[in-house]
Structure formats: C-alpha cells, structure tokens
Amino acid sequence: MNGSAPVFTVPVTLADYAKAAQARFARPDWDFLEGGAGDERTLAANLAAFDQISLHPRALAGIGLPDTKTEILGRTWAAPLAIAPMAYHTLARPEGEVATARGAGVAGLPLVVSTFASRTFEDIAAAGTGPLWLQVYCFRDRALTQALIERAERSGMEALVLTVDAPRLGHRLRDVRNAFRLPAGITPANLTGNGFDSPSVHAQGEFDPTLDWSVIGWLRSISALPVLVKGILTPKDALRAVAAGVDGIVVSNHGGRQLDGAPATLDVLPDIVAAVAGFCPVLLDGGIRRGTDVLAALALGADAALLGRPALHGLAVAGADGVSDVLGIVTSELTTAMALTGTGSVAAAGRELVATQRQGNSAYTSPPAATPPPRRAGAASLRKEELHGSVSDPVLDTMNFLNEITTRYPEAVSFAPGRPYDGFFDTEQIFTYLRRYLDHLETQGASPEQVRSALFQYGPTSGQIRELIADFLRKDEGIDVPPESIVVTVGAQEAMLLTVRALIAGPQDVLLVSSPCYIGITGAARLLDIHPAPVEETEAGFSVPAVTAALHAVRAQGQRPRAFYVIPDHSNPSGITMSMETRRRLLNMAAREDILLVEDSPYRLVSPGPQLPTLKSMDTGRRVVHLGSLSKTLFPGARVGFAVADQTVTDTTGRTTLLADELSKIKSMVTVNTSPVSQALVAGMLLAADGRASNLNVATARYYGDAMRATLEALERAFPRRERERTGVRWNEPSGGFFLSVTVPFRADTAALTRSAEDFGVIWTPMSYFYPGGGGECALRLSVSSLTHPQIKDGIGRLAAFIKEQAPPTRA
C-alpha cells in the first residue's frame, strides 16, 4: 500500500468507492485486487451486458414501499444480494474477511467465504451475524477438502458453494505484466500447513482435474450442508446440476476467462433459468455495479445476485463500515429502481421489466417457449414455500424429473415406466366392448333412457359396475364379498388416497409401509400431511417380526398404528413375492395387534403360472382392505380401480355402515364419481370374458413372463458369475410382475441416471426413490413390461456398459 490515504469526499456511489480504494494501492496490488478471478475481457463483457439493459418505468403502481426481502435456502435476506467469494481480503485491509463478515452482517446479507480466505473460518464466523457460505475448491487430496468442509460446518457456515468451472486457474494477464506476488504474511489461513503456505500454489496443479458430477454425491456424503455449484454457463450443465441434486446454481463466468468469447453471465441467465425450471435457486455472479443491475438480474430470472469487487473497495476504504455502506448503496438503488418500475417485491420482478439494445440477442429478447408467462407487476405472485409442503416433496420432484429425463432422451431404451406393453391394444376393441356393456344393460331390462344415462350422466359415487367387479373377484381371486363393499375408483391411486384419508384420523395415527415401497402410497400420504413409518425389507422381503417391532415402537411413542400397506405379489419396486407362510403369519399378527392390512394387488393376473392366494381371500376377520386395478390387466387408459372395504364402522349412536360407504363420502368430495364411459369399457371386457379377467390375460401374462426371463438371461450374459463376484453386481429373480432390482457398486442417483441416459442411451429408476426413510442408494429398478425382446437385449447391453464404466476399479 502507498501509506496514508489522500483526503477524499465521502463516497456515495460504488464508483466513488472504487476511485477512493484505487488511490490507496500501488499499481500491482490494485490490479490483483481489482482483477479477481477474471481478466479485463471477462469484466468488460459482464459490464457491457448490464449497460445495454434498460428498465421500463411504471407510473401510479400503488405498491407502497417496495419489499426487498427474499428467502434463499430457508434464510431471509434483507435484499437479494450477497458478497461473492474472493480470496485474500487482508490485502485490502488487515482485518480482512473478519471485517467483511461484520459489514455483511450489519447489512443483513450473506458472505460467501473463499477457501483461500486470509482469516480463519472460526474468526470469520465469530464476527459475522448474517449467513455465511463456504466456497469450495475440490483438491486432489480429498481428505484436505473434507477437513476444510468439516471445519467450516463446525464454525457455523450454512452452505457449500462448489466452484465447478476452474479445474485449473491460468495466468492473469495483469499479474503477469506486473510480476505480481502477494505481500509477505498474506496466506490462505485455513490451508497453511497443508502445502499451501505459498498463495501461488492455488493457481497451479492442486485442484482435482478429474472431477465429474459424482462429486455432488461425495459432498453430500461428508456434509449435511446444502450444496450449490458456481460456474454454470449453459442450460445443459444446469440440467446436469439439477440431476445431480444440487440445492442451488450460481451463474458465473470467472473460470471461462481463458476462452475467447466466453459469454457474459447476463446473456446466458434466462436460458439457464428456463432449464432449471424452479427446481432450485439460481444466483448470478459477475458485473453487478448498481441496484438496477440487481433488478435486471431478477427480471431475467435470478433469485439473487452476488457482489464482488465493490465489497472489497468498501473494505479497503472504511473496513466493516465501508462493506455495509456499499451493500446499503446497492440495496437503496434497488429499492428506488423497484419503486420506479412498480415492482412491489422481489418475487414480482418479471421479464416485462427489461428491454435490451442487443437486437438479435435471443438470450433474453423473448422468453423461450418453455418459460412460464412473465410475471406482471401487481399480478398475483405466489411463493412456493407458501404452498402445501407436498409440492416441494422430493417424491413428487423425483417422479417429475424421471418423466423429464424420458422425454429429453426419446431414443434411449427406457426400463423406467411400469406400464403395459402397447402391442396388446386394438382401437376397434373400444367400440366392441362399449357395445357389449350396452347390450348387457338392455338384457337386464334397462330402458333406452337408462342406458343413455349410464354413459352420459355422473352415476353413483361408489360405482355402477360393482356387481361385475364382485363377480370377477370371486371367479379370479377367490375373494367373496358383496358388491356394496366395493368402491370403484379412478385407478388404484385414488383408492389409496381414500383409504389413507379415512383410516388416518389425526397426528396420533400412523400408517406403516414396507420399505422399499411404491411411491404412490407415500405420495398420497404426503398430500395428506401424513408421514408413513417404514418397515425395512431384506432382499428376501420383510419379516413379520419386523412389522411387529415397528408397531410396538410406534405405540411406545404414544401413537396409534392403524394399518400396514404392502404389495404381496411381485411388488413394485423390488419384484418380491410374499411366501404363503408369511401371509398366514401376517394375518395372525394383524388380528393380534388389532391393525388393518392394506393389500395392493395389481400384478397377479399379468404374471405367468399359478399365483398364491391374496391376503383378502384368506381374510376371515375382515382385517384386509384390498386395493385393485384393472389398468394393468384390461385397459390402462380407462383408469379404473377399486377398493374392497367390507369392514364395519359403528358411530356413537350404534349405527353401523361399511368402510366402503365412508370411502364413498370422501370420494364425493374428490372426484365425485369414476367416469361412466371408463366403467362401461372395462365392464364390456369382463362380460366378454365371462367375468374372468384372467381369460383376457393369458397372452399378456405369457409375454411379461418371457420379458422377465429375457431380461434375467441378458443380465446373466452381461455379468457372468466371476464378474458379479468381482464387481458386486447382483439382482433378484422375480417370478412375475414388471420389476426387478439390480444392486450396483456405485451410487445409482439422479446424476448417474442422467449420465446413463445421455452417454449410454439407457434409462432406469433409482431405487432410492422408493425408500421413505432413506436407503437403496446403490440399487436401481428395471421395468420390463413395455419393451420388446430386442429392446431388452439392446438395453441390457447398454446398461452393462454403463455399469462397468461407472463402477470403481477393483484390485487384481
């Protein structure tokens, strides 16, 4: 530094602070401080992008004082602004990051602390009162990286920001010209003693150049903190980040400074926001110099912006007070810009606020087709955290992501969907079966008006084909129940929702589920604010003693177990079938423990060979609520399911009804009734087969059985016994159904799924999706039902190539 600072007027803009700060430094020190992680071209591109943005004013908006507060990762910030990670703050001021943290805390805004901070994490955390995040570089020495993260977490930091665009930091032109070296005594305080005593080391070969998206999973395995990635510049990488499960994205081009023509962050922001589609916050870093810049970033989709060099200017001029003043200037300018544009809140900033002089820059002259309509100032703007928690539940997000992956890679072989094979359907059958049911009504004495009403009117809530379903259950499944104990539903999914809603009366009631478990039941429970209690299965299935122990554990907590949900035959996702002995013991346990069993049974009639009896057919004490579906067996598009609920319900006056009647009451407030046309179609199919759905599934059961065998044989060829022993790859061998489970020697998560689809052209489902209490990280589900044999052979070949490439190397 040049000694005492010259006299200057009190800074009132960021430009004033920059000028005052520059006067305090010799040229080499200033160039290093001002250059940051980028060079002249990077900074110029970012500044030019903001300079060519204009904001549309709006008069008489009537918004009052604009609200700049926002919430990121569960923490409320005073403004959508944070201090970006920058190394060696002690070059600007001896207190360094301690003063920066203190100033950020006064402003109520976060500081992202650099791995190369010149003060210790503990000292920084002690000084800061606002949120602190740690910027992470992943070193070749993972143990060093882990130690840093653990130390930061212990000090109270709240998130990790992984820099992903700098596998190697190159030379900065200004520093080369100046032959710059950091002054003695300025070191990376948290790395000293680990080979980083010399600050220049971090610009060379210590970063891990082999990083891929699996690093996100590794970070999660060593820390519970949220993980953001910094350095995303393309929608494709944004999608990969989302697939890897990140908690946030920072659009930043600092690592791209060596690429000629690297885009400005503002130019790529809208397309990245569109790709992320709300899955996680998107922050922008680069070029923020005014409050209007922050509003422009918000209008183009960012959730917040990071401020870099100006914070150091404030630190250099006035320490912590200068940092808080710089942040206050930007926040004040943002408030003014919001008032002039009629923007009442951060969430109300929409694309219509901005215009650009860059005619032809498609990045933000017009929204991409997939982007939601612009938010208008004054229009209703909802915050996701104000909606029901189920919309943010990972179960719903994972299935949306799986559907998106399937759509994005249409040429991939997909073992994901558990849907019937398309080759069984003939369009003309629709008219044949519909006429068959109408003829049935006429032979039963229905008048033309009654026949017409049976198709065109709502019909009874409990269903108009209950007698035919009761006949089918008696003939095919050995379940002998009166028609009035049946409720016809919109698929088995509605039957689950109605049953769970009826049985779980309050927070003291508990639904138990097998784990892994079909996500339809856990999703339905989540919609109702119910958190199922998992009963862990082994590879051989669950045990009755495990269910009993879970029941006792629930009661020990003062709660009341009400029911246990299970798929006894060819379960989804694992494909396991419950033994006859286990069925008997489970029914005895239900009577002894006074709970109900909710039996879901969609795969029996589409599986080859004789099937074991259903729990309901063995139920002498009305302990089983049986859920069924005619989608897999007859007509998927009709979406007809049913619940058999013959349990008696007694009210306070002693009057008794059937549980089916209570389910119908709930259904009347949900779907009113099941489509009469859908009911007519499946009824016509049952009538054409003499009431036996099994007669219509001889060929389908054979086909699915052959598909399962073809899959198992292809796996056997791809992974001979010795290779299975070497790699740890193994799978179960279901006797029917649509699904099997494959265990692999790596995390089969969304990041691995994306790579499998993108690089190998094969899609599967992570088993971890199906574990409500966590688990299944190293397993995947394969569905064989919708594929031809050539597709299965091809798909297993692709899957084997992926697994072998993804598996860690084994020692000879």
Side-chain angles (χ1 to χ4, degrees):
M1 296 177 64
N2 283 334
S4 61
V7 177
F8 59 92
T9 58
V10 176
V12 295
T13 68
L14 299 195
D16 293 339
Y17 266 105
K19 183 177 181 180
Q22 185 175 7
R24 299 174 61 87
F25 292 91
R27 176 64 182 270
D29 289 357
W30 172 253
D31 280 355
F32 178 84
L33 196 68
E34 185 67 2
D39 67 359
E40 295 95 332
R41 291 172 301 167
T42 304
L43 179 60
N46 289 336
L47 295 177
F50 281 107
D51 286 343
Q52 296 186 58
I53 284 284
S54 61
L55 296 169
H56 291 303
R58 178 169 177 248
L60 300 177
I63 61 170
L65 182 66
D67 183 3
T68 62
K69 292 192 296 296
T70 191
E71 185 173 310
I72 305 289
L73 299 184
R75 281 275 259 160
T76 299
W77 300 1
L81 187 67
I83 297 179
M86 296 170 287
Y88 308 124
H89 289 206
T90 52
L91 181 64
R93 200 84 172 185
E95 310 97 303
E97 290 82 3
V98 169
T100 308
R102 187 177 295 116
V106 169
L109 297 174
L111 163 64
V112 185
V113 179
S114 170
T115 293
F116 293 90
S118 47
R119 297 296 298 269
T120 67
F121 296 154
E122 293 78 7
D123 288 346
I124 297 168
T129 57
L132 296 175
W133 294 357
L134 173 67
Q135 179 211 25
V136 178
Y137 288 106
C138 200
F139 301 112
R140 293 177 185 272
D141 184 353
R142 287 288 181 94
L144 172 59
T145 307
Q146 180 172 347
L148 283 169
I149 290 170
E150 291 172 348
R151 184 174 167 186
E153 189 169 2
R154 286 194 302 271
S155 71
M157 295 194 187
E158 300 177 11
L160 305 176
V161 182
L162 175 69
T163 295
V164 297
D165 62 340
R168 177 179 174 86
L169 295 182
H171 298 292
R172 294 187 295 192
L173 298 179
R174 284 175 290 194
D175 296 343
V176 173
R177 296 189 193 107
N178 296 329
F180 175 78
R181 293 290 183 273
L182 279 171
I186 296 181
T187 61
N190 302 285
L191 289 166
T192 301
N194 292 283
F196 286 85
D197 300 78
S198 171
S200 62
V201 175
H202 90 272
Q204 303 304 321
E206 295 299 328
F207 296 164
D208 184 351
T210 67
L211 285 186
D212 59 24
W213 288 103
S214 66
V215 70
I216 304 301
W218 178 75
L219 289 173
R220 292 198 180 284
S221 73
I222 65 170
S223 173
L225 295 180
V227 177
L228 299 89
V229 290
K230 179 178 182 292
I232 299 298
L233 282 173
T234 67
K236 187 174 184 179
D237 275 347
L239 287 170
R240 285 174 172 165
V242 170
V246 302
D247 299 287
I249 286 172
V250 181
V251 178
S252 169
N253 59 3
H254 294 163
R257 66 183 180 280
Q258 298 175 81
L259 298 174
D260 290 336
T265 52
L266 199 67
D267 287 351
V268 299
L269 174 65
D271 288 342
I272 290 174
V273 169
V276 171
F279 273 93
C280 64
V282 176
L283 289 75
L284 179 130
D285 179 23
I288 299 293
R289 293 296 184 271
R290 297 160 297 204
T292 52
D293 297 341
V294 177
L295 184 56
L298 296 176
L300 293 175
D303 294 282
L306 301 185
L307 183 72
R309 300 297 119 185
L312 285 189
H313 301 161
L315 177 65
V317 172
D321 291 341
V323 173
S324 62
D325 191 38
V326 162
L327 296 173
I329 289 171
V330 178
T331 302
S332 177
E333 291 175 349
L334 170 64
T335 304
T336 300
M338 292 173 67
L340 293 174
T341 57
T343 307
S345 67
V346 170
R351 190 79 64 93
E352 77 285 352
L353 291 183
V354 299
T356 175
Q357 299 173 27
R358 294 181 170 187
Q359 304 299 327
N361 182 347
S362 61
Y364 51 86
T365 50
S366 59
T371 304
R375 293 172 293 182
R376 299 184 305 277
S381 179
L382 303 178
R383 299 174 66 88
K384 194 169 185 178
E385 61 267 25
E386 296 172 346
L387 303 179
H388 187 261
S390 62
V391 301
S392 300
D393 192 276
V395 169
L396 276 68
D397 282 344
T398 52
M399 293 315 295
N400 285 338
F401 174 73
L402 189 64
N403 292 335
E404 193 273 335
I405 281 284
T406 302
T407 302
R408 198 191 318 159
Y409 301 102
E411 301 304 316
V413 178
S414 181
F415 289 96
R419 66 183 186 186
Y421 176 56
D422 285 339
F424 297 133
F425 308 124
D426 180 354
T427 306
E428 291 302 315
Q429 291 176 327
I430 294 175
F431 307 104
T432 300
Y433 292 132
L434 190 60
R435 171 50 60 188
R436 180 68 181 82
Y437 179 63
L438 297 181
D439 291 344
H440 167 74
L441 293 179
E442 291 178 357
T443 60
Q444 296 294 310
S447 67
E449 291 78 12
Q450 290 171 321
V451 171
R452 184 171 64 248
S453 179
L455 287 182
F456 286 95
Q457 285 297 345
Y458 293 121
T461 298
S462 56
Q464 61 187 30
I465 62 169
R466 293 190 294 171
E467 290 80 3
L468 293 175
I469 291 177
D471 183 53
F472 141 67
L473 289 172
R474 184 170 56 255
K475 291 177 177 178
D476 269 342
E477 299 285 29
I479 298 173
D480 192 359
V481 292
E484 57 267 24
S485 69
I486 296 172
V487 180
V488 184
T489 59
V490 181
Q493 190 65 41
E494 186 189 25
M496 294 176 204
L497 184 72
L498 302 179
T499 302
V500 171
R501 178 67 291 163
L503 295 180
I504 308 301
Q508 79 282 3
D509 291 337
V510 175
L511 171 72
L512 291 91
V513 299
S514 58
S515 181
C517 178
Y518 171 54
I519 63 169
I521 189 72
T522 53
R526 183 67 184 93
L527 291 175
L528 301 170
D529 288 319
I530 296 166
H531 299 277
V535 179
E536 299 298 327
E537 287 188 356
T538 66
E539 291 185 359
F542 72 87
S543 69
V544 174
V547 182
T548 305
L551 292 172
H552 293 172
V554 167
R555 290 191 176 113
Q557 296 174 2
Q559 295 177 296
R560 181 176 61 165
R562 294 287 285 150
F564 174 52
Y565 169 89
V566 67
I567 303 177
D569 301 286
H570 321 296
S571 70
N572 180 4
S574 65
I576 293 173
T577 294
M578 187 188 301
S579 70
M580 190 65 184
E581 178 60 25
T582 300
R583 294 170 198 247
R584 293 193 184 98
R585 295 182 66 189
L586 188 60
L587 285 166
N588 290 336
M589 183 275 298
R592 184 175 65 252
E593 298 289 343
D594 190 25
I595 66 162
L596 295 177
L597 302 176
V598 179
E599 176 185 36
D600 191 2
S601 187
Y603 306 109
R604 293 167 52 80
L605 298 184
V606 291
S607 298
Q611 302 296 309
L612 293 174
T614 63
L615 292 174
K616 188 61 183 174
S617 68
M618 302 168 63
D619 178 25
T620 59
R622 297 188 180 183
R623 288 285 170 185
V624 179
V625 177
H626 181 85
L627 310 182
S629 171
L630 297 173
S631 293
K632 303 290 189 295
T633 54
L634 298 181
F635 196 143
R639 300 297 300 129
V640 174
F642 56 88
V644 177
D646 59 348
Q647 293 73 24
T648 57
V649 178
T650 305
D651 66 17
T652 55
T653 68
R655 178 177 174 271
T656 61
T657 58
L658 292 176
L659 179 59
D661 298 324
E662 311 308 319
L663 300 186
S664 293
K665 293 177 185 176
I666 301 172
K667 179 179 172 63
S668 70
M669 294 292 108
V670 179
T671 58
V672 181
N673 71 310
T674 301
S675 165
V677 176
S678 293
Q679 292 186 71
L681 285 168
V682 298
M685 297 179 79
L686 288 172
L687 289 165
D690 191 30
R692 295 181 180 272
S694 57
N695 289 344
L696 297 173
N697 281 276
V698 174
T700 56
R702 183 185 307 115
Y703 182 90
Y704 294 133
D706 289 344
M708 182 65 74
R709 281 189 292 273
T711 304
L712 295 172
E713 290 169 1
L715 285 169
E716 186 75 33
R717 288 192 298 270
F719 295 97
R721 180 175 60 82
R722 286 190 177 180
E723 184 154 4
R724 295 201 301 273
E725 292 173 352
R726 181 180 64 84
T727 62
V729 175
R730 64 184 187 276
W731 55 86
N732 61 344
E733 299 185 5
S735 59
F738 290 2
F739 310 104
L740 71 152
S741 174
V742 181
T743 300
V744 294
F746 54 85
R747 289 180 66 89
D749 54 15
T750 52
L753 171 58
T754 300
R755 185 161 184 265
S756 176
E758 185 171 286
D759 297 342
F760 293 85
V762 62
I763 298 173
W764 35 268
T765 307
M767 280 290 285
S768 58
Y769 289 4
F770 303 95
Y771 283 78
E777 289 84 2
C778 294
L780 51 91
R781 187 195 75 172
L782 300 182
S783 174
V784 305
S785 59
S786 63
L787 301 175
T788 64
H789 286 206
Q791 288 173 323
I792 289 172
K793 181 179 179 181
D794 180 29
I796 294 298
R798 299 182 186 196
L799 178 66
F802 166 70
I803 292 174
K804 293 173 184 178
E805 197 275 342
Q806 186 82 358
T810 56
R811 293 181 180 178

